[in-house]
Amino acid sequence: MSLSQEQILAALRTVKDPELYKDIVTLGMVKHAEVRGQTVHLRVELTTRNGPVKDVVERDVRRALADAGATQVQLDVSAPAARPATAAGGQPGHPSHGPLPQVRNVIAVGAGKGGVGKSPLAVHLAVGLQRGGARVGLMDGDIYGPSMPTMLGIKGRQPELRGNKIIPAEKFGLKVISM
């Protein structure tokens, strides 16, 4: 028995992205789905380059389609293409001319209260991104109680100066600077 397009999409709506907790159809991750003979041909584009997510989504897609009655599945799961650098004016391909043109993404961790775990969260996030293949710099901007140097074992280490540039300390593959 051949599956219809509606049956394929209904089966894929049961597959949740393990990081976003929404189904892959709603998230727009299903880029192509069709049946040719007894084979379901499917192309899924992930929202992230995270390797483990790919394995989970692929396994769940195959299981959902098998449960729906698919006998053969030809599946292509890919990560999103790298986006070109964007300038402050939003022009793809043109480098930014801001103070840190080599910085592509910034994640800020903050809260209006002390002692809620901002520093441990920032360190774990930075190490996780670094282990995932990103080049990561970590700046501790807490002027009242900087804890990153203690947490990372670089307390007392002074950053190196080269001309008018501050060269940050390195720990666990992270470039780290603290106020």
Side-chain angles (χ1 to χ4, degrees):
M1 176 180 131
S2 184
L3 292 171
S4 69
Q5 187 80 9
E6 293 79 28
Q7 290 171 310
I8 293 170
L9 292 177
L12 295 175
R13 281 189 181 90
T14 67
V15 177
K16 305 284 187 212
D17 180 288
E19 292 180 334
L20 301 174
Y21 308 110
K22 290 187 178 180
D23 72 88
I24 64 174
V25 175
T26 300
L27 290 170
M29 294 167 62
V30 178
K31 301 301 182 184
H32 177 79
E34 72 173 299
V35 179
R36 283 189 234 143
Q38 298 294 3
T39 305
V40 175
H41 295 266
L42 187 66
R43 186 167 56 85
V44 175
E45 186 175 288
L46 302 174
T47 57
T48 179
R49 293 179 169 266
N50 185 353
V53 169
K54 179 181 185 217
D55 297 337
V56 170
V57 169
E58 187 170 343
R59 179 198 68 212
D60 292 350
V61 164
R62 289 187 184 283
R63 184 177 298 143
L65 291 173
D67 290 348
T71 55
Q72 288 185 308
V73 177
Q74 187 175 40
L75 178 60
D76 174 29
V77 179
S78 62
R83 293 179 299 184
T86 304
Q91 298 296 321
H94 298 289
S96 169
H97 297 289
L100 298 171
Q102 71 278 19
V103 174
R104 198 174 312 167
N105 299 298
V106 175
I107 298 173
V109 177
K113 181 177 179 344
V116 295
K118 296 178 294 290
S119 294
L121 175 69
V123 169
H124 287 291
L125 182 61
V127 170
L129 288 168
Q130 189 272 335
R131 286 184 177 173
R135 292 185 325 172
V136 181
L138 183 59
M139 185 184 103
D140 181 7
D142 187 345
I143 58 173
Y144 296 110
S147 59
M148 297 284 180
T150 303
M151 291 176 67
L152 294 169
I154 58 171
K155 189 172 184 175
R157 199 191 289 175
Q158 294 297 315
E160 182 183 331
L161 295 175
R162 283 194 202 142
N164 64 350
K165 291 189 178 184
I166 299 171
I167 308 303
E170 269 197 58
K171 189 70 174 205
F172 306 121
L174 304 172
K175 298 200 184 286
V176 182
I177 193 101
S178 182
M179 293 290 174

